[in-house]
Amino acid sequence: MAKKPAKSKKSLSASSSADKEKALKLKSPEKMKKTVKPIRVSEIEKRPKNPKKPKAKPKKKTKKEDANKPKKPPTAFFFFLEDFRKEYQEQNPDVKSMRDIGKACGEKWKTMTYEEKVQYYDIATEKRAEFEEAMAEYIKRKESGEDQESEDSEYDE
DNA sequence: TTTCTGATTGTTAAT
DNA sequence: ATTAACAATCAGAAA
């Protein structure tokens, strides 16, 4: 059977006017707001994984690995989770924890409309901007002199 | 005691 | 374009 080509289904010249309208609506909300700042990060972020990952898929980390390294900001979904959790626990005090909530939350999230989600997206967008700033500062500091550690780094607790 | 796991989606960086 | 990893959370299980 000759397989085939089903590779270019729409690409090149498929830009119809209808496509434009559709794309406008489907685009990410944050993208619509304005272009992201031109922060060019090439080698800033390094990802030295956690040496403590027994599983093939690392997921969490122990405690502090890099106090200077800004962690990834929570996504819109996570913000929604925070609110959702509170409500969920009120209605379901019997539920122990997030495994159930996560499912319920994800399900509801899918049902939410753009307008409802956009609020969280907005928060996430703003948060990301802050994260980028923190990241830039972190890099700067790191390049400036990571040797500078002594002051009150970490004594014993 | 300490560490990891699970489950959800979103965002990012790298390929 | 797609993949891989990580973001929070918390109670329970494993070592």
Side-chain angles (χ1 to χ4, degrees):
Chain A
M1 323 192 147
K3 46 199 343 351
K4 250 309 245 48
K7 230 173 204 185
S8 31
K9 17 183 94 157
K10 64 194 179 153
S11 325
L12 299 193
S13 49
S15 304
S16 285
S17 4
D19 257 289
K20 287 209 282 194
E21 286 183 346
K22 191 152 95 169
L24 209 72
K25 215 169 175 152
L26 235 77
K27 255 336 184 181
S28 293
E30 42 224 73
K31 269 335 183 320
M32 264 161 84
K33 279 161 115 96
K34 59 187 148 180
T35 354
V36 196
K37 62 189 44 182
I39 281 200
R40 199 85 14 251
V41 263
S42 279
E43 54 197 284
I44 8 184
E45 176 121 66
K46 252 154 194 275
R47 345 185 355 92
K49 287 183 46 182
N50 206 5
K52 231 156 185 315
K53 70 159 118 36
K55 267 325 197 182
K57 210 179 196 178
K59 236 166 222 304
K60 292 153 184 70
K61 30 188 48 121
T62 14
K63 261 178 190 193
K64 54 177 184 177
E65 323 183 337
D66 287 324
N68 306 332
K69 185 159 33 209
K71 304 198 267 239
K72 301 188 336 191
T75 60
F77 179 65
F78 275 45
F79 286 109
F80 169 64
L81 254 164
E82 280 183 71
D83 286 346
F84 187 86
R85 242 186 334 108
K86 290 174 189 150
E87 269 185 57
Y88 193 92
Q89 285 178 353
E90 279 182 16
Q91 296 179 4
N92 307 288
D94 295 333
V95 172
K96 315 280 190 154
S97 284
M98 58 216 158
R99 264 133 91 214
D100 296 314
I101 295 172
K103 283 177 190 161
C105 204
E107 195 172 345
K108 173 152 190 180
W109 180 261
K110 297 273 183 64
T111 65
M112 284 171 76
T113 61
Y114 173 85
E115 292 175 3
E116 290 175 299
K117 292 196 271 195
V118 81
Q119 334 174 52
Y120 295 101
Y121 275 100
D122 187 41
I123 298 171
T125 303
E126 192 174 347
K127 202 71 180 168
R128 265 187 282 129
E130 194 177 332
F131 164 71
E132 286 178 1
E133 192 178 351
M135 178 62 104
E137 195 172 345
Y138 159 68
I139 294 151
K140 184 174 180 179
R141 178 185 174 170
K142 185 171 184 180
E143 289 186 354
S144 193
E146 44 186 284
D147 291 307
Q148 192 166 74
E149 65 179 278
S150 285
E151 246 107 300
D152 45 330
S153 283
E154 59 215 84
Y155 291 131
D156 236 312
E157 273 179 280

